[in-house]
Amino acid sequence: MEAIFDFFSNPYYIQILTITGVYLIAALGLNLITGITGQFSFGHAAFMSIGAYTSSLLTLYLHTPFFLNLLLGGIIAALFGVLLGFPSLRLTGDYLGITTLGFGEIVRVVFINTKITGGAFGLAGIPRETNIILVYLIVVLTIISLYLIKNSRFGRGLVAIREDEIAAEAMGINTLFYKVEAFAVGSFFAGISGALYAHLIQYISPGDFGFSRSFEILNFVVIGGLGSIPGTVVGTAILALAPEFLRFVQEYRMLIYGALMVLMMTFRPRGLLGGVDLFQVWRNFRHKGLREKI
Amino acid sequence: MKRKWYLFLLVALMSAALVVSGCGSNEKTTAGDTIKIGFLGGKTGNHAHYGIETLKGMQMAVEDINNAGGLLGKKVEIVEGDHGSNSSEAASVTQKLITQKVAAVIGDPTTGITKLAAPICQSNKVVLMSAGAVGTGVVELGDYIFRDCLLDAVAAPVVTKYLAEDLKWKKVALVTTTGLPYSESLTSIFKPALDKYGIEIVTEQNIMEKDNNFSAQVTALAQKQFDGVIFTGYYNEGALFMKEMRKQGLQQVMAGGDGLLGKELYEIGEEAVEGSMVYTGFAVDTNNAVEKTKDFIEKYQAKNNNAQPDMFSAQGYDAVMLIADAIKAAESADPTVYREKLVQTKDWKGVTGTISFDANREPIKSPVYLLEVKDKQFAVKTVIPVTD
């Protein structure tokens, strides 16, 4: 019991759990775009940076309340999601991937060359507003809203688009509209995550939201299992925590991290929980258990 | 189907094992027996060189302290915090060092990560001594934030004075790497300095990082008369820029900050960079070095197969010694106590020269070493003392 208390009073553990939660929100957003709707996005970190910069600039210059800034960070990111979505979501597959990649670079370069964002120096001195309770409260809200979306008419439409876009269109789904909407919601969560990140780390620079960060988030989703919400949670938890917990092997940790990924993709190409319905598993398990008892 | 579940279980177990083993390595704090000093830096990744050299210097300093009987009767110990040059990990690593109750955090050698670590150290009231963050807006982040490196704001004017008075430069071309914070801030420091010592900027050219064709910019330079080039970027572009100048028949040399300091400068630039000048806060200058510096160089060479120490190892060494002397003076390893002594540091003699902290806790270091590329090597051209 005391060990558990020690664990939760250690600021180092709190810090990494908080940052994991922040990544989780972004990853859940990407899961809606890439996992459920099946649209490639390599520019998710760009939406994070839009949320991060929006909320930080509001906090630093206009001194508006944090919750408003957090929300606005998400909304502005969502607006850019729509803006990017309309022209680019007519594309599919690799072409869309390249477009989002380009968008990510544009955002980064704009932030580097704009005066108010501090250019390549970044923004320092952002007040710390994010805490672990707030982050996990938002994580829970995100998970609930994603479940609601996934099980709604809209969500089923998105899955239909992923499975077969032409068939979905034939069934009367306005595919472009649905895709843009999914993009906006996903970007909204990325924006929220970016805003939380900025108010946690207290220093942001365009380099923090480069291509590698986008790819990292995509990894979380793919390892966990595309389209699976519990999968995204598990994937993010493992990959975000692994570099920290592998610290004791020092120089070899990135090697092990890489090996873990190769193994994963070889043995479970659909991700840890890809294509697994946890409710179904639970039901099967109970049935089996009952049968054995009888 | 069954086999699939075993595999799933295996992966899940492996991941769980990772997490659990991590928890187990939670070190027991042995407060009281040793004074811990944290190292924050990348031992791997893009900036690994800086981190490893800083750590080497720190280890030498700790060894020297312990051989001389320790600090306040206790042994000094380094706690390593390797963030792999990864900014997203740096915050967690800093937090970890602080939970391990370090008396000070030394590092990170880069400005970006120092800015990231600063608020964490500040709010926990632990001294952060960066051994390399030369960018702007670092010590402003809090009164527990220090650095011991040669600032461009100190060095560039001194070097400009030398160029104007000893080398009689009257007109220069100024080349900036846009989008590179280091270069942009150095340009903004050079401009008023050039103005002050009566050197005219005849043309300003902008290049981009990772560019490798500078013919347009050099063609623009060829139209003008000037005595030399002030180049504020990094060595890769610097070397290629000089090559292009020689190709177009321009014979001027360039001068710049320690962004040009790297063997790549003459490896890429070859003959074109002969005579080019670079300033730095530390150089191996066996002829003029004081006893303390000579000692450091010899010890470093003995440990590292005769390799010469660079700026980062020397600054790492000085950072530990600065903190140690403040702890000694305050007779306490509590950062809130010894910080008072650290602030008052004046004319402190280290292996990189003399260090004083000014009213804003910014280091004023003397001397500035001006190096020159000679026969594909950096040779000390002159050592300029900083007066004022």
Side-chain angles (χ1 to χ4, degrees):
Chain A
M1 191 62 212
E2 199 171 305
I4 294 170
F5 180 75
D6 271 359
F7 183 89
F8 281 105
S9 59
N10 185 331
Y12 165 60
Y13 292 130
I14 301 273
Q15 170 90 14
I16 53 176
L17 283 179
T18 316
I19 194 101
T20 305
V22 171
Y23 288 146
L24 186 50
I25 296 166
L28 285 166
L30 185 64
N31 186 36
L32 181 70
I33 301 172
T34 306
I36 297 176
T37 322
Q39 306 301 309
F40 272 112
S41 172
F42 290 128
H44 211 57
F47 295 111
M48 263 182 92
S49 71
I50 291 171
Y53 273 100
T54 308
S55 64
S56 314
L57 288 173
L58 285 172
T59 307
L60 288 175
Y61 291 103
L62 298 179
H63 309 289
T64 40
F66 171 63
F67 281 98
L68 180 73
N69 301 344
L70 185 66
L71 202 63
L72 279 173
I75 290 172
I76 302 281
L79 278 179
F80 274 94
V82 173
L83 226 69
L84 171 72
F86 265 112
S88 60
L89 283 171
R90 292 166 203 275
L91 304 169
T92 49
D94 312 349
Y95 306 104
L96 177 66
I98 303 279
T99 315
T100 49
L101 190 71
F103 175 75
E105 280 302 290
I106 291 173
V107 170
R108 194 176 64 86
V109 170
V110 166
F111 283 137
I112 283 184
N113 289 298
T114 314
K115 264 248 161 62
I116 193 165
T117 59
F121 298 104
L123 282 177
I126 305 163
R128 190 176 172 125
E129 303 277 3
T130 307
N131 59 52
I132 189 162
I133 296 166
L134 174 71
V135 167
Y136 280 93
L137 202 71
I138 297 179
V139 166
V140 170
L141 284 177
T142 312
I143 292 176
I144 292 173
S145 51
L146 280 181
Y147 263 113
L148 289 178
I149 290 176
K150 201 180 172 186
N151 295 326
S152 67
R153 184 190 140 81
F154 173 61
R156 283 189 295 273
L158 296 180
V159 174
I161 292 172
R162 177 185 72 192
E163 296 302 331
D164 191 331
E165 200 169 335
I166 297 169
E169 191 138 33
M171 294 305 288
I173 293 173
N174 184 342
T175 52
L176 180 64
F177 185 74
Y178 268 53
K179 283 196 284 185
V180 170
E181 210 168 322
F183 224 76
V185 176
S187 311
F188 173 79
F189 287 122
I192 295 277
S193 155
L196 289 170
Y197 177 89
H199 287 85
L200 173 70
I201 302 289
Q202 296 173 271
Y203 169 71
I204 51 172
S205 66
D208 296 347
F209 304 101
F211 169 63
S212 57
R213 179 57 55 82
S214 290
F215 209 75
E216 214 179 322
I217 302 170
L218 191 63
N219 272 344
F220 295 161
V221 178
V222 173
I223 291 281
L226 279 171
S228 161
I229 294 170
T232 305
V233 176
V234 173
T236 309
I238 291 176
L239 287 192
L241 296 179
E244 290 301 328
F245 287 117
L246 285 172
R247 206 165 276 289
F248 65 98
V249 283
Q250 297 201 351
E251 282 81 3
Y252 300 103
R253 68 201 173 97
M254 286 333 264
L255 200 114
I256 295 180
Y257 183 94
L260 195 69
M261 264 208 240
V262 172
L263 277 176
M264 275 290 313
M265 285 296 106
T266 318
F267 291 113
R268 282 198 68 84
R270 293 185 67 188
L272 265 180
L273 296 179
V276 178
D277 185 340
L278 282 187
F279 291 110
Q280 195 64 46
V281 171
W282 176 238
R283 243 172 278 144
N284 287 351
F285 183 74
R286 270 182 49 193
H287 272 285
K288 224 191 244 168
L290 282 177
R291 237 181 288 143
E292 269 164 26
K293 257 184 201 161
I294 295 161
Chain B
M1 187 64 202
K2 209 165 184 187
R3 196 177 142 264
K4 217 171 142 195
W5 274 102
Y6 277 122
L7 272 174
F8 173 68
L9 210 71
L10 187 75
V11 174
L13 265 176
M14 265 174 68
S15 327
L18 272 179
V19 174
V20 172
S21 64
C23 296
S25 72
N26 187 4
E27 282 138 72
K28 294 276 170 289
T29 39
T30 47
D33 329 335
T34 56
I35 293 176
K36 291 180 181 175
I37 292 183
F39 157 77
L40 175 69
K43 285 171 75 184
T44 49
N46 285 342
H47 305 131
H49 172 78
Y50 305 160
I52 290 169
E53 286 301 319
T54 308
L55 183 59
K56 272 188 196 165
M58 287 174 65
Q59 282 163 341
M60 284 174 64
V62 166
E63 210 169 280
D64 284 358
I65 293 171
N66 287 342
N67 286 344
L71 200 55
L72 308 180
K74 294 175 186 172
K75 290 271 181 224
V76 180
E77 173 194 0
I78 294 177
V79 185
E80 291 179 21
D82 171 24
H83 54 60
S85 312
N86 194 337
S87 63
S88 61
E89 273 180 45
S92 317
V93 174
T94 312
Q95 193 72 63
K96 186 171 189 182
L97 288 175
I98 289 170
T99 45
Q100 290 174 333
K101 302 206 166 30
V102 293
V105 175
I106 292 179
D108 181 282
T110 64
T111 306
I113 291 179
T114 302
K115 280 185 176 174
L116 216 151
I120 302 169
C121 291
Q122 178 67 25
S123 62
N124 287 290
K125 294 196 164 43
V126 172
V127 167
L128 173 70
M129 171 74 78
S130 171
V134 291
T136 49
V138 173
V139 297
E140 287 87 334
L141 292 175
D143 55 1
Y144 280 84
I145 317 302
F146 293 83
R147 49 181 168 180
D148 74 338
C149 41
L150 176 69
L151 297 187
D152 292 317
V154 173
V158 175
V159 170
T160 310
K161 188 174 176 220
Y162 177 81
L163 294 177
E165 290 173 3
D166 293 70
L167 300 183
K168 309 282 179 230
W169 282 20
K170 295 267 180 294
K171 292 174 175 176
V172 293
L174 183 60
V175 183
T176 310
T177 310
T178 49
L180 182 69
Y182 166 74
S183 179
E184 287 185 5
S185 85
L186 186 53
T187 296
S188 70
I189 294 165
F190 259 118
K191 271 188 186 168
L194 289 165
D195 190 48
K196 186 178 167 195
Y197 293 105
I199 299 179
E200 185 194 342
I201 303 171
V202 291
T203 174
E204 272 186 58
Q205 293 297 325
N206 291 325
I207 59 169
M208 297 282 281
E209 212 182 345
K210 298 199 177 82
D211 271 2
N212 46 31
N213 183 351
F214 302 113
S215 55
Q217 288 91 344
V218 173
T219 310
L221 291 193
Q223 321 291 322
K224 309 275 182 182
Q225 290 289 325
F226 58 98
D227 303 303
V229 177
I230 301 282
F231 190 93
T232 60
Y234 285 155
Y235 45 71
N236 276 330
E237 291 78 25
L240 292 172
F241 195 89
M242 290 315 283
K243 271 194 147 171
E244 181 65 31
M245 280 185 56
R246 298 293 177 266
K247 203 169 128 196
Q248 295 201 20
L250 297 174
Q251 294 306 323
Q252 289 90 340
V253 296
M254 76 175 165
D258 50 23
L260 289 175
L261 192 65
K263 60 182 189 316
E264 290 85 349
L265 182 69
Y266 47 79
E267 279 176 2
I268 300 170
E270 296 169 326
E271 277 79 33
V273 294
E274 285 288 310
S276 286
M277 288 167 283
V278 180
Y279 69 71
T280 168
F282 177 78
V284 176
D285 177 17
T286 31
N287 302 327
N288 304 313
V290 293
E291 207 51 46
K292 205 171 182 175
T293 313
K294 247 184 209 160
D295 225 42
F296 170 75
I297 295 169
E298 275 164 19
K299 269 189 197 157
Y300 184 95
Q301 287 181 323
K303 273 186 201 300
N304 295 288
N305 296 325
N306 249 350
Q308 292 196 333
D310 69 4
M311 191 173 72
F312 292 101
S313 39
Q315 284 173 353
Y317 183 93
D318 272 357
V320 174
M321 287 304 191
L322 259 172
I323 301 273
D325 280 357
I327 289 177
K328 230 183 269 171
E331 293 180 349
S332 164
D334 181 352
T336 52
V337 179
Y338 78 76
R339 193 200 79 89
E340 304 300 325
K341 295 288 175 194
L342 190 59
V343 176
Q344 294 162 10
T345 302
K346 201 159 179 58
D347 294 326
W348 181 86
K349 296 214 168 16
V351 298
T352 60
T354 342
I355 299 174
S356 305
F357 288 116
D358 72 4
N360 303 319
R361 276 171 295 108
E362 287 285 29
I364 307 294
K365 284 182 78 166
S366 178
V368 176
Y369 291 86
L370 189 65
L371 311 180
E372 181 183 36
V373 181
K374 224 177 196 171
D375 303 322
K376 296 195 179 164
Q377 283 247 308
F378 284 112
V380 177
K381 186 180 175 77
T382 180
V383 181
I384 319 169
V386 178
T387 49
D388 154 35

